[in-house]
Amino acid sequence: ILNGIDTEIFYPDQSKTVSKRIVTVASADVPLKGLDYLLDAFANLLKYDPSLELFVIGSFNEGGHTERKIKYLNIEKKVTFKNDLNFNQVREIYCSADIVVIPSLYEGFGFGAGEAMACGVPLISTHSGGLEEVVGDAALKIMPSSAEEIEKAVIKLFNNPEDMRKLSIKGRQRMEEIFDWKIAASSYLCLLYTSD
């Protein structure tokens, strides 16, 4: 039985305007999240479009590797971390994004990817670990551990609004049809009653 995403909490914002914002999820300041590669890619992307900004749902360790890397890349003013958020605040950040990037080297399931897709935001994602099962063909696939692939994928989507629109629709549909939490709950109930 697959994990579920609450599509009534995470849903698209029809009033969204283009903000040149990229959002990612880094629930822990650890290398497995692949944030290093996204930061490198983002620093390069700023050379093409200085108006871009990166929002990270998560936190970093004070004085730790991520903070030092951001300072080294000189992108402190363009990267914002948000943590201790409720579901509505998380949804608002997803919906404020033009693109969500999940650069993880490994994920057990990939709730961030699923939540972004439920919000109808075009997704760029690795297929590492459980992510492949979550995103299927409803995201632009990238290889892990590659800043260059992230950079190319972001440029590709920004240059192709129709591709962004298609991924937005496919992502939302995938969450509704396969990963809605009601489907998971119903499956557990069926298992419970058939095992008696």
Side-chain angles (χ1 to χ4, degrees), residues 10 17-18 32 40 69 76-77 85 89 160 165 181:
F10 296 101
T17 57
V18 174
L32 278 178
D40 285 332
K69 185 171 185 71
E76 301 101 310
K77 293 181 180 179
L85 305 171
Q89 291 169 322
N160 292 276
R165 188 187 71 81
W181 74 270

Side-chain angles (χ1 to χ4, degrees), residues 71-138:
K71 286 181 179 177
Y72 172 76
L73 293 169
N74 196 28
I75 55 174
E76 301 101 310
K77 293 181 180 179
K78 304 298 290 184
V79 181
T80 303
F81 282 79
K82 296 284 188 178
N83 63 345
D84 295 326
L85 305 171
N86 61 38
F87 286 131
N88 286 334
Q89 291 169 322
V90 172
R91 176 193 167 266
E92 286 172 4
I93 292 175
Y94 282 132
C95 289
S96 74
D98 295 299
I99 297 169
V100 170
V101 180
I102 304 293
S104 297
L105 311 187
Y106 179 80
E107 287 284 350
F109 175 67
F111 281 100
E115 290 164 359
M117 292 163 72
C119 289
V121 183
L123 180 69
I124 296 170
S125 177
T126 65
H127 275 197
S128 304
L131 281 168
E132 182 170 11
E133 186 173 47
V134 176
V135 305
D137 66 349

